[in-house]
Amino acid sequence: MKTRAITGFFFVIVMLASVLLGHYTFGIFYLILSILALNEFYGLVKQSGIKPNQSTGIINGIFIYVIFALITYKDEPAYHKVLFLLAITLSAVFIQELYKKSETPFTNIAYTIMGIIYAVLPFTFFHALAYVGGSGFNFHIPLAFLIMLWANDTGAYLSGYFFGRTKLFERHSPKKTWEGFIGGVLISAVAGYIISIYYRDLTWERWVTIAVLIGCFGTLGDLVESMFKRSINIKDSGGILPGHGGLLDRFDGLLLSAPIVYAYLYLITNS
């Protein structure tokens, strides 16, 4: 418990620093984080006998993150042209398999690409949250996202601990309850409303809507990660965070909610 608390404290400090220290630190930190998460994903699926094209997948992951980071930072036509290089880099995932002796080549290809979608794209969308208004780097939205995500996790844990009776999705996560889920969404919504008092970038209704989206899709992301771990018979995704498991364990709530929140903000700011 002590190890978990110490790790959690330093984790929060590092996460806050990554958002508050400017757009260069922000961009580089989440690039590193996404590649570590992708490497963790590939390491996990290798334990089940699948052989993803790890190096090619990581190269593609870096390229996708960097090019979309550049586009969100400064929407230059030249960056859009560079996107067409994805046709070559992604083709390499398929071509490389021709030279490997494997009985399940398309399984390897599928997991290589799925790793990029699952572990890199969510951080790409999270990074884009800082630029969604089109007026340069703004740490308010990614910082608020993290606060609401943590509020949801804390609220779900406490509500489930004290009031949890009805199982939410026992097949994939036996400990999760409807009471915990509802409590998490409500606490996240309260956090969203409080944030609206200090950050006037959005109306309180939109902040609360984001909080509800984080609560709902963050929980689904947690369930999806549990389903993934159960499918390959592991308990934790890794040991990089003592007492908290791996990066995929720690960021499971972000993996589905970040793209959804970005889509919502993009639509309301460009309507």
Side-chain angles (χ1 to χ4, degrees), residues 242-257:
H244 290 263
L247 291 174
L248 295 176
D249 290 323
R250 188 64 272 175
F251 290 99
D252 51 9
L254 179 147
L255 299 178
L256 289 187
S257 59

PDB file of all heavy atoms in Angstrom, residues 242-257:
ATOM      1  N   PRO A 242       5.366   0.662  -9.911  1.00  0.00           N
ATOM      2  CA  PRO A 242       5.208  -0.229  -8.755  1.00  0.00           C
ATOM      3  C   PRO A 242       3.902   0.028  -8.009  1.00  0.00           C
ATOM      4  O   PRO A 242       3.591   1.152  -7.642  1.00  0.00           O
ATOM      5  CB  PRO A 242       6.422   0.125  -7.886  1.00  0.00           C
ATOM      6  CG  PRO A 242       7.436   0.661  -8.842  1.00  0.00           C
ATOM      7  CD  PRO A 242       6.654   1.379  -9.894  1.00  0.00           C
ATOM      8  N   GLY A 243       3.141  -1.044  -7.812  1.00  0.00           N
ATOM      9  CA  GLY A 243       1.870  -0.935  -7.122  1.00  0.00           C
ATOM     10  C   GLY A 243       0.704  -0.558  -8.013  1.00  0.00           C
ATOM     11  O   GLY A 243      -0.454  -0.612  -7.599  1.00  0.00           O
ATOM     12  N   HIS A 244       0.996  -0.162  -9.254  1.00  0.00           N
ATOM     13  CA  HIS A 244      -0.058   0.265 -10.177  1.00  0.00           C
ATOM     14  C   HIS A 244      -0.062  -0.539 -11.476  1.00  0.00           C
ATOM     15  O   HIS A 244      -0.919  -0.307 -12.332  1.00  0.00           O
ATOM     16  CB  HIS A 244       0.096   1.755 -10.519  1.00  0.00           C
ATOM     17  CG  HIS A 244      -0.213   2.668  -9.384  1.00  0.00           C
ATOM     18  ND1 HIS A 244      -1.440   3.271  -9.219  1.00  0.00           N
ATOM     19  CD2 HIS A 244       0.553   3.080  -8.335  1.00  0.00           C
ATOM     20  CE1 HIS A 244      -1.420   4.026  -8.127  1.00  0.00           C
ATOM     21  NE2 HIS A 244      -0.223   3.915  -7.576  1.00  0.00           N
ATOM     22  N   GLY A 245       0.889  -1.449 -11.640  1.00  0.00           N
ATOM     23  CA  GLY A 245       0.943  -2.230 -12.863  1.00  0.00           C
ATOM     24  C   GLY A 245       1.685  -1.506 -13.964  1.00  0.00           C
ATOM     25  O   GLY A 245       2.658  -0.789 -13.725  1.00  0.00           O
ATOM     26  N   GLY A 246       1.202  -1.681 -15.191  1.00  0.00           N
ATOM     27  CA  GLY A 246       1.864  -1.085 -16.344  1.00  0.00           C
ATOM     28  C   GLY A 246       1.193   0.192 -16.811  1.00  0.00           C
ATOM     29  O   GLY A 246       0.214   0.669 -16.225  1.00  0.00           O
ATOM     30  N   LEU A 247       1.700   0.733 -17.911  1.00  0.00           N
ATOM     31  CA  LEU A 247       1.147   1.968 -18.459  1.00  0.00           C
ATOM     32  C   LEU A 247      -0.276   1.772 -18.973  1.00  0.00           C
ATOM     33  O   LEU A 247      -1.127   2.651 -18.823  1.00  0.00           O
ATOM     34  CB  LEU A 247       2.048   2.476 -19.586  1.00  0.00           C
ATOM     35  CG  LEU A 247       3.425   2.990 -19.155  1.00  0.00           C
ATOM     36  CD1 LEU A 247       4.270   3.323 -20.372  1.00  0.00           C
ATOM     37  CD2 LEU A 247       3.287   4.204 -18.250  1.00  0.00           C
ATOM     38  N   LEU A 248      -0.538   0.625 -19.592  1.00  0.00           N
ATOM     39  CA  LEU A 248      -1.888   0.363 -20.096  1.00  0.00           C
ATOM     40  C   LEU A 248      -2.883   0.244 -18.949  1.00  0.00           C
ATOM     41  O   LEU A 248      -4.051   0.622 -19.085  1.00  0.00           O
ATOM     42  CB  LEU A 248      -1.895  -0.907 -20.950  1.00  0.00           C
ATOM     43  CG  LEU A 248      -1.078  -0.842 -22.249  1.00  0.00           C
ATOM     44  CD1 LEU A 248      -1.092  -2.186 -22.956  1.00  0.00           C
ATOM     45  CD2 LEU A 248      -1.605   0.250 -23.175  1.00  0.00           C
ATOM     46  N   ASP A 249      -2.426  -0.279 -17.809  1.00  0.00           N
ATOM     47  CA  ASP A 249      -3.280  -0.322 -16.614  1.00  0.00           C
ATOM     48  C   ASP A 249      -3.601   1.097 -16.125  1.00  0.00           C
ATOM     49  O   ASP A 249      -4.731   1.406 -15.771  1.00  0.00           O
ATOM     50  CB  ASP A 249      -2.581  -1.082 -15.470  1.00  0.00           C
ATOM     51  CG  ASP A 249      -2.461  -2.566 -15.746  1.00  0.00           C
ATOM     52  OD1 ASP A 249      -3.403  -3.133 -16.325  1.00  0.00           O
ATOM     53  OD2 ASP A 249      -1.427  -3.151 -15.400  1.00  0.00           O
ATOM     54  N   ARG A 250      -2.583   1.947 -16.110  1.00  0.00           N
ATOM     55  CA  ARG A 250      -2.731   3.282 -15.539  1.00  0.00           C
ATOM     56  C   ARG A 250      -3.524   4.221 -16.457  1.00  0.00           C
ATOM     57  O   ARG A 250      -4.226   5.114 -15.979  1.00  0.00           O
ATOM     58  CB  ARG A 250      -1.340   3.874 -15.288  1.00  0.00           C
ATOM     59  CG  ARG A 250      -1.303   5.173 -14.527  1.00  0.00           C
ATOM     60  CD  ARG A 250      -1.819   5.048 -13.130  1.00  0.00           C
ATOM     61  NE  ARG A 250      -3.257   5.245 -13.042  1.00  0.00           N
ATOM     62  CZ  ARG A 250      -3.977   5.101 -11.966  1.00  0.00           C
ATOM     63  NH1 ARG A 250      -3.424   4.711 -10.842  1.00  0.00           N
ATOM     64  NH2 ARG A 250      -5.260   5.315 -11.971  1.00  0.00           N
ATOM     65  N   PHE A 251      -3.435   3.989 -17.774  1.00  0.00           N
ATOM     66  CA  PHE A 251      -4.078   4.903 -18.723  1.00  0.00           C
ATOM     67  C   PHE A 251      -5.269   4.275 -19.444  1.00  0.00           C
ATOM     68  O   PHE A 251      -5.702   4.786 -20.474  1.00  0.00           O
ATOM     69  CB  PHE A 251      -3.056   5.393 -19.757  1.00  0.00           C
ATOM     70  CG  PHE A 251      -2.031   6.336 -19.189  1.00  0.00           C
ATOM     71  CD1 PHE A 251      -0.774   5.869 -18.825  1.00  0.00           C
ATOM     72  CD2 PHE A 251      -2.333   7.672 -18.991  1.00  0.00           C
ATOM     73  CE1 PHE A 251       0.171   6.728 -18.290  1.00  0.00           C
ATOM     74  CE2 PHE A 251      -1.393   8.537 -18.450  1.00  0.00           C
ATOM     75  CZ  PHE A 251      -0.136   8.068 -18.097  1.00  0.00           C
ATOM     76  N   ASP A 252      -5.800   3.187 -18.888  1.00  0.00           N
ATOM     77  CA  ASP A 252      -6.907   2.514 -19.573  1.00  0.00           C
ATOM     78  C   ASP A 252      -8.126   3.425 -19.736  1.00  0.00           C
ATOM     79  O   ASP A 252      -8.845   3.355 -20.734  1.00  0.00           O
ATOM     80  CB  ASP A 252      -7.296   1.206 -18.868  1.00  0.00           C
ATOM     81  CG  ASP A 252      -7.537   1.386 -17.372  1.00  0.00           C
ATOM     82  OD1 ASP A 252      -7.569   2.538 -16.888  1.00  0.00           O
ATOM     83  OD2 ASP A 252      -7.677   0.366 -16.676  1.00  0.00           O
ATOM     84  N   GLY A 253      -8.348   4.309 -18.761  1.00  0.00           N
ATOM     85  CA  GLY A 253      -9.485   5.218 -18.848  1.00  0.00           C
ATOM     86  C   GLY A 253      -9.329   6.268 -19.938  1.00  0.00           C
ATOM     87  O   GLY A 253     -10.314   6.779 -20.476  1.00  0.00           O
ATOM     88  N   LEU A 254      -8.086   6.599 -20.272  1.00  0.00           N
ATOM     89  CA  LEU A 254      -7.816   7.603 -21.303  1.00  0.00           C
ATOM     90  C   LEU A 254      -7.952   7.034 -22.704  1.00  0.00           C
ATOM     91  O   LEU A 254      -8.293   7.761 -23.645  1.00  0.00           O
ATOM     92  CB  LEU A 254      -6.406   8.169 -21.085  1.00  0.00           C
ATOM     93  CG  LEU A 254      -5.876   9.230 -22.043  1.00  0.00           C
ATOM     94  CD1 LEU A 254      -4.955  10.199 -21.303  1.00  0.00           C
ATOM     95  CD2 LEU A 254      -5.095   8.612 -23.220  1.00  0.00           C
ATOM     96  N   LEU A 255      -7.715   5.736 -22.873  1.00  0.00           N
ATOM     97  CA  LEU A 255      -7.569   5.146 -24.200  1.00  0.00           C
ATOM     98  C   LEU A 255      -8.807   5.286 -25.081  1.00  0.00           C
ATOM     99  O   LEU A 255      -8.694   5.469 -26.296  1.00  0.00           O
ATOM    100  CB  LEU A 255      -7.170   3.671 -24.082  1.00  0.00           C
ATOM    101  CG  LEU A 255      -5.829   3.419 -23.372  1.00  0.00           C
ATOM    102  CD1 LEU A 255      -5.552   1.935 -23.254  1.00  0.00           C
ATOM    103  CD2 LEU A 255      -4.684   4.126 -24.091  1.00  0.00           C
ATOM    104  N   LEU A 256      -9.990   5.212 -24.488  1.00  0.00           N
ATOM    105  CA  LEU A 256     -11.207   5.410 -25.268  1.00  0.00           C
ATOM    106  C   LEU A 256     -11.782   6.808 -25.105  1.00  0.00           C
ATOM    107  O   LEU A 256     -12.384   7.355 -26.034  1.00  0.00           O
ATOM    108  CB  LEU A 256     -12.280   4.378 -24.870  1.00  0.00           C
ATOM    109  CG  LEU A 256     -12.055   2.927 -25.277  1.00  0.00           C
ATOM    110  CD1 LEU A 256     -13.292   2.096 -24.943  1.00  0.00           C
ATOM    111  CD2 LEU A 256     -11.745   2.798 -26.761  1.00  0.00           C
ATOM    112  N   SER A 257     -11.598   7.399 -23.932  1.00  0.00           N
ATOM    113  CA  SER A 257     -12.245   8.685 -23.666  1.00  0.00           C
ATOM    114  C   SER A 257     -11.565   9.859 -24.358  1.00  0.00           C
ATOM    115  O   SER A 257     -12.243  10.816 -24.766  1.00  0.00           O
ATOM    116  CB  SER A 257     -12.324   8.944 -22.155  1.00  0.00           C
ATOM    117  OG  SER A 257     -11.045   8.952 -21.560  1.00  0.00           O
TER     118      SER A 257
END
